[in-house]
Amino acid sequence: MCRGGRMFAPTKTFRRWHRKPSLNQRRYAVASALAGSALPALVLARGHRVERVAEVPLVIDTASLANVEKTSAAVALLKTLNAYDDVVKVIFSSRRRHTRYWRDWSSDVCSSD
């Protein structure tokens, strides 16, 4: 018995999967994203932990990102900006299916308590 099997409705090569959206759609998407992240009440309503962030949306200049080469440096930068709480929320709220692998992220390992 094969466990992989075939894919249902496989992706076709004749479909244009990476179609570039028009300039008007891209501008509309950027404006919508900025409008959705401009008010802290809207961001908090979506479940993000941004209570301690100085200003929303959080904009970081490239000069402070120039020396970030490792993940530990990025974590330290997010902690200084008080934005790491949202990252922790994402880590512990992601639902992963239970497997037999010993390092899986089952519910007992991934609880923030």
Side-chain angles (χ1 to χ4, degrees), residues 69-89:
E69 294 182 0
K70 298 182 73 78
T71 307
S72 59
V75 167
L77 177 68
L78 287 173
K79 284 184 179 179
T80 57
L81 297 171
N82 294 328
Y84 192 68
D85 295 338
D86 197 36
V87 177
V88 171
K89 194 262 316 179

Side-chain angles (χ1 to χ4, degrees), residues 17-38:
W17 293 100
H18 304 290
R19 200 174 293 182
K20 194 172 183 179
S22 66
L23 182 64
N24 195 19
Q25 285 180 334
R26 281 184 279 167
R27 286 178 178 161
Y28 187 77
V30 168
S32 299
L34 286 175
S37 64

